[in-house]
């Protein structure tokens, strides 16, 4: 499994989470009962499928060892294993949060250092 996983969320939600000291997830996470994450190999497709055309987003990087037993790898899109967190995310466990702007082509421009 991946050592670092990624979460796409709005700048506003992340600002609120940092202020509250916990991130309970976006509306889709709350509806599903867990926080959706992606690996480096999955996150671009996640952005294209679920966040197409949306600005004001951040890409968060989280080390899996900071999440403990609440992190589960479950079959999702196309039969691939995706990381799901069955607990709030502690903002202090996030390695970094970087802007995920829209490029000239309308697709999200990911950080150059994303594996």
């Amino acid at each position: 499994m991946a050592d670092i996983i990624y979460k796409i969320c709005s700048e506003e939600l992340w600002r609120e989470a940092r202020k509250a000291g916990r991130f309970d997830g976006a509306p889709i996470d709350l509806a599903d009962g867990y926080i959706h994450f992606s690996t480096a190999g999955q996150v671009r497709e996640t952005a294209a499928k679920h966040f197409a055309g949306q600005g004001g987003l951040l890409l968060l990087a989280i080390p899996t060892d900071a999440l403990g037993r609440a992190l589960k790898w479950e079959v999702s899109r196309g039969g691939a294993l995706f990381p799901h967190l069955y607990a709030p995310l502690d903002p202090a466990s996030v390695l970094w949060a970087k802007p995920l702007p829209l490029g000239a082509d309308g697709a999200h421009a990911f950080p150059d250092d994303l594996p």
Side-chain angles (χ1 to χ4, degrees):
M1 300 296 146
D3 292 332
I4 305 290
I5 56 176
Y6 301 90
K7 176 67 180 168
I8 299 171
C9 78
S10 73
E11 292 175 3
E12 180 182 348
L13 273 180
W14 188 239
R15 191 170 35 253
E16 291 170 6
R18 289 183 59 210
K19 183 177 178 182
R22 65 187 274 156
F23 179 67
D24 293 315
I28 187 69
D29 302 320
L30 297 171
D32 288 347
Y34 55 84
I35 300 175
H36 294 264
F37 291 91
S38 299
T39 65
Q42 297 165 335
V43 74
R44 286 174 176 84
E45 185 179 348
T46 296
K49 182 175 177 117
H50 299 288
F51 298 93
Q54 292 183 37
L57 298 176
L58 295 172
L59 180 66
L60 312 177
I62 302 96
T64 57
D65 62 1
L67 302 177
R69 293 178 180 222
L71 181 66
K72 309 290 183 200
W73 292 83
E74 298 176 315
V75 176
S76 189
R77 186 171 65 229
L81 292 177
F82 276 76
H84 297 151
L85 183 63
Y86 287 85
L89 174 65
D90 179 353
S93 67
V94 174
L95 291 174
W96 49 257
K98 295 183 179 180
L100 192 59
L102 291 170
D105 63 356
H108 291 96
F110 283 82
D112 291 337
D113 57 349
L114 185 70

